[in-house]
Amino acid sequence: MKTPSPSVVNWMIAALLVTVIPHLRYLPLWFIALLALVCGSRLAAAHWRWRPFPAWLRLVVTVATFISIAFSYGSVFGRHPGTALLAAMLTLKLLESFRYRDVFVVASLCYFLIVAQFLFSQSPLLVSYLLVAFVLVTVLLVVLVEDQAESAGQTLTKAPLAAGKHTSKLIAQALPLAAVFFFFFPRLSSPIWGLPEDALDGKTGLSGKMAPGSITELLIDDSPAFRVEFEGSVPAQQDLYFRGPVLWKFDGRQWSESYLMSAARTDPVRESGTAVRYNLMLEPHHRRWIFALDYPGSVPSQALLNQNFVLQARKSIVDRESYDLVSYPDGRINTRLLAQQRQAGLQLPPNRNPRTAALAQQWREELPSDQAIAQRALSMFNAEPFAYSFSPPPLGFHSADDFLFDTREGYCEHYASAFTLLMRAAGIPARVVTGYQGGFYNEAGNYLLVRQSDAHAWAEIWLEGRGWIRVDPTAAVAPERIDLGARRAAGARRSLLDYDWLYDLQGSLDTITNFWNRWVLQFDRERQRTLLQPFGVDDLDLSTTAWIMAALFTLFLLSSGFWVLRRQGRSSDLVQREYERFCRKLRPRGLVRGTSEGPGEFADRCGGELPQARPAIDSITHLYIKLRYGPAGSASDFDALQTQVKLFQPA
Amino acid sequence: MIAALRRRYLVLFERLIGRRKRDELPIALDRRRIYILPTRHGVLLGVVTFFMLLGALNYNNNIGLMFTFLLSSVAVLSTLFAVQNLVALQVVSVAAEPTFAGRDAQLSVTLDNPAGQRKMAVGARCGDSQKLLSLPANGALVYHLRMPTTERGWQFPERLGLFTIYPFGMFNAWAWIRSAQKILIYPALEADPPPLPTGGAQGDGALQLRGEEEFTGVRDYQKGDRPHQIAWKAAARSQQLLSKEMAQPAGTELFLDYHALTGLDVEARLSRLATWVTMARDRNSPFILSLPDRSIGPAADEKHVRQCLTALATYPS
């Protein structure tokens, strides 16, 4: 039994490395060492003709690896340990790859590992890379087959480019069929065994708690939070407030949600003023908030609206979701305030921030209305030397006092927090609202990209007759934050590579990602339905889809069959082709040219069988011989041959 | 145990389909002749793909689905590529040098690839022996296989299997060729034959076997003379190859007589005679072969040996 040649081993190691490399960022460091060791020893074994590795060695290494993985991850269940085990199995299989069937197992595992990577990310760049990996593994299979033959001069095994080209041609012929499968294979509306615990890596974004620094942390995170496609014109930057968790409770340092307010449900805002219709495509963030534009006027079926007018999903959002929403920016909310809510809106931690309380008292005495007090606070922020910065000095026990009177420097959470406390001290019910403000409008794709760095905190105060109204103290201090966005307002560079052109480029490139998300990744039952509706297929249940798929599958397979099995070996030699055409005409009469029969002999034989056609046969054969074997046949000879063959009838 | 059963089954099978017409060579492989089934590896990959599909459907991971479907399509289409690799190949000839029954015949199978593309890893199998070669475009190659033989005479070769696992090793496509070109099998040689019969045509007189050194003269080397026939010492002296001339008393050629072998049945007699013929050839002794229907000889050359062996092989039973 032959063993795979060193060239095959090279291909195998190449395919393995290309497949495993994207996984390395999730694997423990010692794995890289293991990988290098195993690949190195296998290469050495191939090129220096070592004997296969003994079974006891393989066993020891395998057991050690598995135990190490279990230790590194703490368990063997879940996305991370699962893929780690798979990658380990694949690497260790190299030690046992001295037979053809073992190399085949390596290739199969590589395929599996490629698909496993998509549990972590589906970005277009990664997909392109893994497509190349897929082709490479397929080339390995082709080379493996060729290596089993004994001819000298394995033209594909030794020539990477030729092998790649050959395999790509084969794979390309499979693409139409794959497309049929992709568009028509029935999708499930709910998972088979549910989503895993660790479906996401880390939780980004807003957390429902706000302390000084919480929102600032998000300033350097440019990952997308969600994308909005507006029907009609896009609202002005100043009106783009996307509502997230509303925070009521303050413990002296940190703001947090109120369970009561978040749980109670309410109806959406009534129609008032202009309606803004839009589609929100939300990136998974492991929580339940759907960041609708102030103020939500519709509640999608899979969501509910709480007393804070924050739209929430029924389950944690662990998958990219798309929502069609309506909002009324001029709407009013909670024009009637319950006693409970008033009390919560005035809650202040005891024995803190005396100077703030004093200032609030002073304004309460001086100014006629709540509105005037709020206005006064805003003018204070505007007129006095308050600074907007993302690295302010820290605050002490009396955080509001320190901020308002001493440091006077902070980011949006500081301002929102201080303002709310000030209002509460003045007896005006107030609360903090966190969410997102602004975003990057992508001209090419016509959508708004809102990133984590656009996270924002503002305040809401309750005024008699008007309900909760938004007051954004940041606008008073740094209007550029509202007008131009967080990044521009930040002034200094947020990180080493924070250049304008880079930021804008990222934003533009996001067009591809958006398209990718909408049309490829979000392709689910709903989209399948949209696809088939123009063809009159309205009711799309599982069996209809399956039937359509089967029909198209058969169609494509048949046409592929005809294409692949078409008569081969048509000579590129035109003269030869004409002669073959002539021979084909004679075939129905039973006159088949034998493999060793020369054209002259054949002509004699045919002439004998078909005396009437003899002159034509002789003429054609003569021309053929002249053109093919003679010193120089002219173009007119070729034309004559072509015409004669065309007119030839073996009567 | 299973192998024995399998062999029994195959023999029965052969007998059943033996009635069918044999293939006249040269023959081109037609699509209808070609069978295709997944290999063990293909089944493994099928299982792996199934789990990929399940996982991707569960998480509604569209890219995972795309790759799974791509892999499935590639696998499905590989059936077409495998068939394409075999179709239109021509089996030009299945021939063998005559061998003795019981030994393996050296089969030479010539495969022609008339297409303009190289056909990779096309295998030919006869019984247990197989060979895999890649056929160049517009070219032909000879496959050397071994075929076990049992009976003497003009026999049809055992059925020839042409197969390939191109391109990805997932599917095995094959076709059977039952060639109508017969090959000649000589009667089986005896393992422990008695010595050559003494006496010439008269039937008596011991034939003294000369030793290596005792020869009467030298003659020029003739092509076909065996090494032990060459007079080395004389050749060294005269700088050219010389052969020994063995004097034969007249009338003392070996007489291999069919009728003299009483007590043996036909096949045994033929075997004995064939063995004697080879022994006589090894000794370079001229001999006469006497069969009921004819008599061949006397002569000692290769052509004579062949003639005798052919006569023995084709002797009606």
Side-chain angles (χ1 to χ4, degrees):
Chain A
M1 198 75 226
K2 275 181 74 181
T3 54
S5 70
S7 320
V8 173
V9 174
N10 291 344
W11 279 106
M12 179 172 66
I13 304 241
L16 180 92
L17 285 176
V18 171
T19 311
V20 171
I21 280 175
H23 283 271
L24 287 177
R25 57 190 160 151
Y26 305 113
L27 292 170
L29 277 174
W30 56 262
F31 192 86
I32 302 181
L34 177 71
L35 188 68
L37 195 67
V38 169
C39 289
S41 36
R42 183 66 184 90
L43 272 174
H47 290 278
W48 296 332
R49 293 186 216 293
W50 292 356
R51 279 198 316 275
F53 299 112
W56 63 262
L57 178 68
R58 296 199 306 257
L59 188 66
V60 164
V61 175
T62 310
V63 170
T65 314
F66 278 24
I67 293 180
S68 310
I69 287 182
F71 264 118
S72 301
Y73 289 98
S75 86
V76 286
F77 295 108
R79 196 173 40 141
H80 284 277
T83 20
L85 277 175
L86 188 64
M89 260 165 50
L90 181 59
T91 313
L92 293 175
K93 187 68 184 168
L94 268 193
L95 295 176
E96 202 198 349
S97 57
F98 289 87
R99 293 176 303 184
Y100 285 108
R101 71 167 82 141
D102 295 322
V103 180
F104 197 92
V105 173
V106 170
S108 308
L109 286 178
C110 278
Y111 281 129
F112 201 81
L113 204 64
I114 287 176
V115 175
Q117 177 65 227
F118 298 125
L119 286 177
F120 295 89
S121 158
Q122 296 183 63
S123 79
L125 206 64
L126 181 71
V127 171
S128 317
Y129 173 81
L130 285 177
L131 203 59
V132 173
F134 181 88
V135 175
L136 201 59
V137 178
T138 317
V139 171
L140 172 64
L141 286 180
V142 174
V143 159
L144 192 64
V145 166
E146 194 196 32
D147 196 58
Q148 293 183 38
E150 286 170 28
S151 306
Q154 312 277 46
T155 56
L156 290 189
T157 319
K158 304 269 175 60
L161 278 176
K165 226 176 85 170
H166 184 95
T167 314
S168 306
K169 266 200 272 198
L170 295 177
I171 295 179
Q173 293 179 62
L175 285 174
L177 194 62
V180 168
F181 270 133
F182 181 75
F183 284 114
F184 296 103
F185 196 88
R187 300 286 204 277
L188 303 174
S189 48
S190 58
I192 305 171
W193 64 76
L195 292 165
E197 288 292 303
D198 62 343
L200 286 179
D201 290 312
K203 302 167 186 179
T204 54
L206 298 171
S207 61
K209 297 196 196 310
M210 187 182 86
S214 317
I215 311 286
T216 325
E217 264 170 17
L218 294 173
L219 180 60
I220 52 166
D221 184 359
D222 271 340
S223 59
F226 54 91
R227 296 176 178 82
V228 187
E229 267 181 32
F230 290 97
E231 234 178 274
S233 59
V234 182
Q237 199 78 349
Q238 302 97 299
D239 298 327
L240 289 172
Y241 281 85
F242 295 95
R243 201 175 185 78
V246 171
L247 312 176
W248 291 82
K249 297 206 286 215
F250 184 65
D251 65 0
R253 200 188 140 267
Q254 193 185 54
W255 287 89
S256 52
E257 288 179 278
S258 153
Y259 175 72
L260 270 149
M261 307 300 175
S262 307
R265 303 239 307 252
T266 186
D267 292 325
V269 170
R270 282 198 308 273
E271 266 193 54
S272 43
T274 47
V276 181
R277 289 173 206 284
Y278 55 101
N279 174 278
L280 186 84
M281 185 170 284
L282 189 56
E283 295 289 313
H285 60 101
H286 228 254
R287 293 183 176 84
R288 293 163 53 199
W289 307 303
I290 299 169
F291 303 105
L293 196 63
D294 269 348
Y295 299 94
S298 71
V299 183
S301 55
Q302 63 270 60
L304 34 84
L305 198 64
N306 69 10
Q307 277 287 337
N308 295 327
F309 279 86
V310 176
L311 201 59
Q312 288 185 89
R314 291 176 195 276
K315 290 188 288 194
S316 301
I317 298 169
V318 289
D319 228 348
R320 191 175 294 108
E321 299 284 355
S322 166
Y323 304 97
D324 289 315
L325 303 169
V326 176
S327 287
Y328 299 99
D330 305 322
R332 291 184 184 207
I333 52 175
N334 295 123
T335 36
R336 269 196 307 253
L337 197 65
L338 300 171
Q340 214 178 10
Q341 292 172 331
R342 177 179 283 273
Q343 198 176 20
L346 292 172
Q347 175 256 330
L348 281 171
N351 307 318
R352 277 194 205 246
N353 303 313
R355 287 184 280 171
T356 313
L359 183 64
Q361 265 315 104
Q362 187 191 338
W363 287 347
R364 184 37 78 194
E365 285 156 17
E366 285 175 7
L367 301 167
S369 65
D370 289 349
Q371 201 158 335
I373 294 175
Q375 207 58 45
R376 183 74 182 78
L378 288 178
S379 354
M380 178 181 78
F381 284 133
N382 195 4
E384 313 247 339
F386 278 91
Y388 186 68
S389 129
F390 57 92
S391 51
L395 302 171
F397 184 72
H398 302 291
S399 52
D401 284 354
D402 291 342
F403 175 74
L404 288 171
F405 301 103
D406 301 329
T407 67
R408 293 190 158 185
E409 200 181 315
Y411 202 59
C412 54
E413 64 258 36
H414 301 85
Y415 287 95
S417 169
F419 179 81
T420 311
L421 291 172
L422 204 49
M423 293 298 105
R424 285 189 175 184
I428 305 170
R431 62 193 184 182
V432 172
V433 182
T434 55
Y436 295 85
Q437 198 284 324
F440 174 82
Y441 193 72
N442 186 312
E443 296 289 348
N446 266 337
Y447 67 96
L448 184 77
L449 169 67
V450 179
R451 298 179 163 103
Q452 296 298 347
S453 51
D454 294 317
H456 193 50
W458 62 92
E460 275 182 347
I461 56 173
W462 193 86
L463 296 177
E464 186 72 50
R466 289 175 63 187
W468 290 99
I469 61 164
R470 172 173 64 229
V471 182
D472 192 354
T474 314
V477 179
E480 61 272 17
R481 163 66 184 89
I482 310 302
D483 295 334
L484 300 174
R487 191 183 159 273
R488 292 274 166 78
R493 290 222 299 264
R494 301 168 295 158
S495 64
L496 229 63
L497 292 171
D498 190 25
Y499 292 103
D500 273 344
W501 62 268
L502 203 62
Y503 185 80
D504 291 337
L505 183 68
Q506 269 181 335
S508 304
L509 285 179
D510 193 72
T511 326
I512 304 171
T513 317
N514 184 49
F515 177 81
W516 187 249
N517 289 345
R518 282 191 181 276
W519 283 105
V520 180
L521 301 187
Q522 286 300 104
F523 193 80
D524 55 3
R525 286 195 73 172
E526 293 309 311
R527 286 206 183 264
Q528 255 184 342
R529 200 168 293 176
T530 342
L531 202 68
L532 291 174
Q533 246 160 13
F535 295 96
V537 182
D538 284 316
D539 187 18
L540 207 68
D541 62 342
L542 216 69
S543 59
T544 320
T545 335
W547 277 115
I548 297 177
M549 192 190 77
L552 281 170
F553 171 79
T554 318
L555 181 72
F556 272 88
L557 196 59
L558 280 176
S559 35
S560 301
F562 277 116
W563 167 252
V564 170
L565 293 177
R566 68 193 184 280
R567 209 172 281 279
Q568 266 189 334
R570 284 283 208 83
S571 282
S572 49
D573 183 343
L574 294 169
V575 176
Q576 186 68 15
R577 231 191 270 180
E578 291 299 324
Y579 188 68
E580 276 170 17
R581 200 168 288 162
F582 164 70
C583 291
R584 273 202 295 278
K585 286 195 174 176
L586 286 163
R587 212 167 284 170
R589 304 297 249 101
L591 293 163
V592 181
R593 186 175 157 224
T595 15
S596 53
E597 207 174 3
E601 281 178 60
F602 182 56
D604 282 334
R605 186 156 70 90
C606 297
E609 295 273 331
L610 309 164
Q612 308 97 300
R614 198 184 192 119
I617 294 172
D618 283 342
S619 163
I620 289 174
T621 311
H622 171 76
L623 277 168
Y624 168 65
I625 293 175
K626 184 174 175 205
L627 283 163
R628 194 121 207 279
Y629 302 108
S634 62
S636 57
D637 285 333
F638 181 70
D639 290 333
L641 176 67
Q642 224 173 6
T643 328
Q644 286 187 32
V645 170
K646 204 185 293 184
L647 298 172
F648 179 69
Q649 291 292 342
Chain B
M1 161 76 180
I2 303 223
L5 274 172
R6 197 161 167 269
R7 234 171 279 132
R8 286 258 307 272
Y9 160 74
L10 279 172
V11 166
L12 264 162
F13 184 66
E14 274 296 313
R15 222 165 278 164
L16 263 165
I17 65 165
R19 318 276 170 81
R20 282 220 303 243
K21 215 163 71 98
R22 291 213 153 230
D23 305 312
E24 291 292 335
L25 299 181
I27 186 168
L29 288 180
D30 192 26
R31 278 205 295 271
R32 277 165 289 169
R33 273 182 184 271
I34 301 178
Y35 304 98
I36 187 158
L37 273 183
T39 57
R40 227 174 2 183
H41 303 154
V43 173
L44 170 71
L45 205 61
V47 170
V48 167
T49 314
F50 177 72
F51 281 111
M52 272 192 228
L53 182 69
L54 227 60
L57 276 179
N58 182 62
Y59 301 118
N60 202 34
N61 189 313
N62 273 303
I63 301 295
L65 279 177
M66 209 196 310
F67 271 67
T68 313
F69 293 142
L70 188 61
L71 185 58
S72 320
S73 310
V74 164
V76 165
L77 245 72
S78 77
T79 57
L80 298 173
F81 298 134
V83 171
Q84 183 200 42
N85 206 38
L86 278 188
V87 89
L89 282 183
Q90 285 190 351
V91 180
V92 177
S93 79
V94 177
E97 284 292 313
T99 14
F100 293 97
R103 295 202 198 157
D104 287 341
Q106 304 295 326
L107 218 58
S108 297
V109 180
T110 312
L111 234 59
D112 179 34
N113 174 20
Q117 279 109 317
R118 193 162 157 266
K119 304 281 189 186
M120 271 211 290
V122 177
R125 180 195 308 142
C126 186
D128 286 327
S129 104
Q130 71 178 40
K131 215 159 157 78
L132 275 155
L133 297 173
S134 293
L135 297 164
N138 287 313
L141 280 180
V142 181
Y143 289 68
H144 296 287
L145 302 169
R146 285 187 329 272
M147 184 187 95
T149 56
T150 42
E151 288 178 33
R152 64 172 176 91
W154 285 104
Q155 300 292 337
F156 288 119
E158 215 178 283
R159 68 177 178 163
L160 183 72
L162 298 172
F163 62 94
T164 185
I165 56 171
Y166 173 87
F168 308 124
M170 298 183 202
F171 284 91
N172 179 27
W174 75 93
W176 292 112
I177 301 287
R178 295 168 60 250
S179 164
Q181 274 181 0
K182 291 191 182 178
I183 56 179
L184 184 62
I185 312 281
Y186 297 146
L189 292 176
E190 277 187 328
D192 193 15
L196 284 163
T198 58
Q202 292 84 11
D204 52 33
L207 178 71
Q208 303 286 344
L209 236 74
R210 307 291 178 127
E212 298 290 306
E213 312 302 317
E214 297 167 27
F215 55 94
T216 49
V218 292
R219 56 173 171 84
D220 283 332
Y221 172 75
Q222 273 172 354
K223 211 164 102 163
D225 286 344
R226 299 239 146 75
H228 66 252
Q229 290 173 266
I230 297 174
W232 292 107
K233 286 191 182 152
R237 259 182 270 130
S238 66
Q239 299 288 322
Q240 63 185 30
L241 276 178
L242 300 165
S243 295
K244 299 175 199 166
E245 188 85 68
M246 306 288 238
Q248 289 287 348
T252 53
E253 309 100 347
L254 286 170
F255 189 70
L256 305 173
D257 189 7
Y258 180 85
H259 296 289
L261 297 169
T262 51
L264 293 173
D265 67 346
V266 177
E267 294 301 322
R269 289 192 203 200
L270 294 172
S271 280
R272 175 73 54 85
L273 288 170
T275 320
W276 278 347
V277 167
T278 51
M279 286 163 71
R281 178 195 56 198
D282 291 338
R283 290 190 187 153
N284 205 37
S285 320
F287 62 90
I288 302 170
L289 179 67
S290 164
L291 293 169
D293 51 351
R294 60 181 170 147
S295 180
I296 312 172
D301 54 354
E302 209 44 52
K303 180 161 163 247
H304 173 67
V305 168
R306 269 186 203 276
Q307 232 180 333
C308 293
L309 287 172
T310 311
L312 287 168
T314 54
Y315 188 79
S317 49

